[in-house]
Amino acid sequence: MAAAARTIALLLVFIPFQCCIVSASSLSPILLVPGILGNQLEARLSDATAPHWWCETDSNWYSLWVSIEQLLPEVIDCFVNNTRMHFRNGEYFNSEGVQIRAPGFGDTSGVDYLDPNNHLIPYCIDFVNFFTKHGYKKGVSLRAAPYDWRLTPDILEKLGYYDDVQQLVETMYKDSGNVSVTIVTHSLGSPTTLYFLTQIATQQWKDKYLKAFVPLSGVWKGAVKTITSVISGNPEGIPLIKTSTARYLQRSSPTNYFLMPVPDHKVWNSDPVVVTPDKNYTVYDYPTLFTDMQYSIGHAQYKAVPTFLTTLSPPKVDTYCFYGTNVSTPAVLVYKQGEFPDTFPSLTSGNGDGTVNDVSLQACSSWKGAQPHKLEMLGFSGVEHVQMVKDPKVLQAVLNIVSS
């Protein structure tokens, strides 16, 4: 009798513990797709042009983003020259003699920290640590697909990025014993991945290989904050970069035009997003805006970016659209007399995640009823844009999806 009692007691202790353990074999593999500035970049120089005699013109692959040494005074001119793009005949090119790549494709080394040498700038390391504690293995069931975030999805397609993504997903599926993969994206990574899901991947392929699409802070219809990059320049809090230097660099990247608010009357009203003493501008006034800021080529650059976010077709896979909310977010850029376009503006705030406006973050709601697959939306009050890949509540919500 006593032995039976002890057995029952052991079972009562063991069963609750056992039911809370998630078998690693049942976890959906996770593929991370980072946001803008959200993974390391490397450069290689071969008889490259240079703005100063002290800038290198030939090199092996070296860390470009983020390298603190590259951002030091004087050297930063070399960094800008090697990072900026050139727009000719409707296409974008690197500076002559410069190659750029995103290291760490297929593992998480390129997204854990943005600075590979010092590990002072964390990005996805909290995400990675959380999921490895719950049974995931880096480079096996938890991987990342970094990319050159200067480039828009159509350019990435031409460079073979999506072929690599498709192959990586299939490899993860096979390595996990035919368990379908969950793609978790952040910020720019969300529309970048949506392009793959709506323009490239077949429905048959998605049904077989994908469990879910989990966009965090998706920039579905652009962000007012991005307009500052194009008008005045936005150093993004980096103390060693002047506003004018930031503008020179940011105007060269097609991504910044891609992330400007998408003219869509279902999302953006006709209220001004740029206010000056002489004229106000809505998201429907870009041609005039570019002319008045004396950067007429900017409109050609804007017109060259893909327009698939205008229709925002559904991904046709189970989707969990997570976003931060109730954070003060730039909604109107206000330039005083003499400030437009060369001085960073004052900001009038609205709701969002601190970077992306709420109307853009929640534009994925248009997929409800537009696809037979599940769509769940969840806002996280007070969680700022970058914190969406770190916040414990967000990470737990993602774990609930991949372990269900």
Side-chain angles (χ1 to χ4, degrees), residues 81-113:
N81 180 73
N82 295 336
T83 307
R84 76 181 303 265
M85 303 197 73
H86 304 265
F87 183 71
R88 294 192 301 271
N89 300 321
E91 295 187 5
Y92 285 90
F93 304 88
N94 288 327
S95 294
E96 186 177 348
V98 178
Q99 292 177 273
I100 292 180
R101 69 181 184 185
F105 188 91
D107 57 53
T108 67
S109 61
V111 301
D112 291 344
Y113 294 89

Side-chain angles (χ1 to χ4, degrees), residues 266-287:
K266 295 178 181 178
V267 177
W268 301 98
N269 58 32
S270 296
D271 291 339
V273 292
V274 178
V275 173
T276 76
D278 301 319
K279 192 182 297 184
N280 297 337
Y281 306 87
T282 72
V283 302
Y284 308 100
D285 298 324
Y286 290 148

Side-chain angles (χ1 to χ4, degrees), residues 59 86 138 158 182 199 205 211 235 241 259 261 285 364:
S59 74
H86 304 265
K138 293 176 61 173
K158 293 176 183 177
T182 296
Q199 310 292 313
W205 186 89
K211 173 183 175 65
I241 296 184
L259 292 179
D285 298 324
C364 50

Side-chain angles (χ1 to χ4, degrees), residues 137-203:
K137 293 183 179 180
K138 293 176 61 173
V140 181
S141 54
L142 178 58
R143 301 191 181 205
Y147 56 99
D148 186 343
W149 33 257
R150 302 174 307 155
L151 308 178
T152 47
D154 56 323
I155 303 176
L156 292 174
E157 180 183 11
K158 293 176 183 177
L159 295 175
Y161 172 72
Y162 294 114
D163 293 335
D164 294 339
V165 168
Q166 187 161 335
Q167 181 60 54
L168 180 56
V169 169
E170 292 175 10
T171 298
M172 295 173 71
Y173 173 87
K174 180 180 178 181
D175 290 349
S176 65
N178 297 346
V179 178
S180 53
V181 176
T182 296
I183 302 182
V184 179
T185 63
H186 180 236
S187 189
L188 171 65
S190 301
T192 297
T193 300
L194 183 67
Y195 184 91
F196 169 69
L197 297 176
T198 59
Q199 310 292 313
I200 298 174
T202 66
Q203 192 60 50

Side-chain angles (χ1 to χ4, degrees), residues 15 118 130 139 200 206 294 321 334 338 359 371 373 397 404:
I15 290 174
N118 302 305
F130 177 88
I200 298 174
K206 290 185 285 189
Q294 299 178 1
C321 198
V334 181
V359 293
Q371 64 173 19
H373 302 80
S404 62

